[in-house]
Amino acid sequence: LEATQRGIYNRCPFCRTPFSTDDASDLAMIMKRVSKGDAEAIAYLGDIHYHGNLGLAKDVPRSIELWAVAAELGLLDAHYKVGLACYYGRVVDEDKPRGVQHWQQAAMK
């Protein structure tokens, strides 16, 4: 109750700024985290490119690049997504051993 009254749920958990109401502000906040090397933000930006959200054009190759960067930073979900893309040949050439390798790295962590 106290948190709701103080408005904590309407703020960013990282920087405590109020949530934005437009796509440009959301994208600016995400890019700020990406520039600091936040693996979660990088993977989220990859998801945005994959689906074409927040005013960005759908760009699947860019999303796979971003997921690969997030995977290098140790994000398990990114390893899974890169593994899917490689194993099934989504946009990239089919490379089943590389896909399995990403899944194994995610499983070991």
Side-chain angles (χ1 to χ4, degrees):
L1 180 64
E2 179 68 25
T4 303
Q5 290 174 343
R6 290 180 28 197
I8 290 177
Y9 296 123
N10 298 329
R11 299 184 178 274
C12 173
F14 295 112
C15 61
R16 303 285 186 230
T17 57
F19 286 129
S20 64
T21 57
D22 62 308
D23 291 348
S25 297
D26 287 343
L27 190 57
M29 287 177 63
I30 294 164
M31 293 306 293
K32 183 177 179 182
R33 297 298 312 158
V34 167
S35 68
K36 294 184 182 203
D38 184 351
E40 287 282 347
I42 294 169
Y44 185 61
L45 185 60
D47 292 342
I48 291 169
H49 277 287
Y50 186 82
H51 297 290
N53 295 337
L54 296 182
L56 295 177
K58 187 172 181 175
D59 187 358
V60 178
R62 177 71 177 139
S63 67
I64 294 171
E65 290 173 15
L66 290 166
W67 292 334
V69 170
E72 289 174 10
L73 293 172
L75 190 64
L76 302 181
D77 191 43
H79 274 293
Y80 172 74
K81 290 177 181 178
V82 173
L84 281 177
C86 292
Y87 190 85
Y88 293 109
R90 296 181 183 163
V91 180
V92 295
D93 293 333
E94 186 176 298
D95 187 358
K96 290 186 187 254
R98 184 173 172 220
V100 170
Q101 179 186 7
H102 276 284
W103 290 336
Q104 286 175 336
Q105 288 178 358
M108 289 189 286
K109 291 187 180 187

